[in-house]
């Protein structure tokens, strides 16, 4: 049975803000908004050229736990996005830093051989930008 990750879902207070971020910096395409007023839920999928997708979700009926920006936690703690070459990691990291986004680490080569940087998206989710 071949298994692949279908998508990763992120709670957010602003679906459109995150959609624009992933479109602007990663070339993702945002799909149509889905709304379920009865459940106080809305979402949009953003799809990357390589086939990966994120579901950006907002709710008015739940109170997802807020964590400090970039917090390390048990469970899902980062999303790694392969952006191409080391030069592309460098260029995108510079662009994000220049545009005011937080760069936590790198670019650098890690002990396990990755070339990466770690940045925060507008909601403080950790993104590893990797070559490859």
């Amino acid at each position: 049975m071949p298994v692949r990750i279908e998508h990763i879902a992120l709670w957010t207070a602003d679906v459109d803000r995150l959609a624009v971020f992933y479109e602007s910096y990663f070339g993702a395409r945002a799909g149509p908004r889905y709304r379920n007023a009865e459940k106080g839920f809305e979402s949009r999928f953003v799809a990357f050229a390589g086939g990966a997708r994120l579901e950006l979700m907002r709710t008015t009926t739940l109170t997802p736990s807020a964590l400090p920006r970039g917090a390390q936690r048990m469970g899902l703690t980062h999303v790694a996005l392969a952006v191409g070459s080391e030069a592309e990691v460098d260029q995108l990291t510079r662009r994000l830093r220049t545009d005011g986004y937080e760069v936590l680490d790198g670019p650098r080569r890690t002990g396990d051989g990755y070339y990466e940087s770690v940045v925060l998206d507008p909601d403080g989710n950790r993104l590893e930008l990797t070559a490859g």
Side-chain angles (χ1 to χ4, degrees):
M1 167 178 59
V3 175
R4 68 179 176 86
I5 294 175
E6 201 314 299
H7 68 271
I8 296 171
L10 302 174
W11 286 118
T12 183
D14 190 333
V15 169
D16 291 328
R17 177 188 58 172
L18 273 192
V20 167
F21 173 80
Y22 287 103
E23 287 175 318
S24 298
Y25 293 97
F26 299 96
R29 286 183 309 105
R33 178 183 314 280
Y34 165 75
R35 280 196 175 105
N36 184 325
E38 184 177 308
K39 292 188 176 184
F41 177 82
E42 69 176 288
S43 72
R44 286 181 86 177
F45 280 91
V46 293
F48 301 92
R53 298 188 318 153
L54 294 175
E55 182 180 13
L56 311 177
M57 308 181 310
R58 188 178 77 82
T59 181
T60 60
T61 60
L62 301 172
T63 307
S65 299
L67 297 172
R69 293 180 61 74
Q72 293 280 26
R73 63 179 205 80
M74 296 303 286
L76 183 64
T77 193
H78 71 262
V79 175
L81 300 172
V83 299
S85 67
E86 292 181 13
E88 289 168 308
V89 171
D90 294 343
Q91 183 275 331
L92 183 53
T93 302
R94 273 193 307 276
R95 182 176 165 211
L96 287 160
R97 180 180 282 123
T98 297
D99 290 351
Y101 293 97
E102 295 172 71
V103 176
L104 301 182
D105 194 12
R108 68 185 181 95
R109 182 155 315 280
T110 64
D112 57 358
Y114 276 92
Y115 188 79
E116 69 180 27
S117 65
V118 179
V119 302
L120 300 184
D121 77 4
D123 283 353
N125 297 303
R126 296 171 76 92
L127 303 177
E128 283 186 4
L129 311 182
T130 69

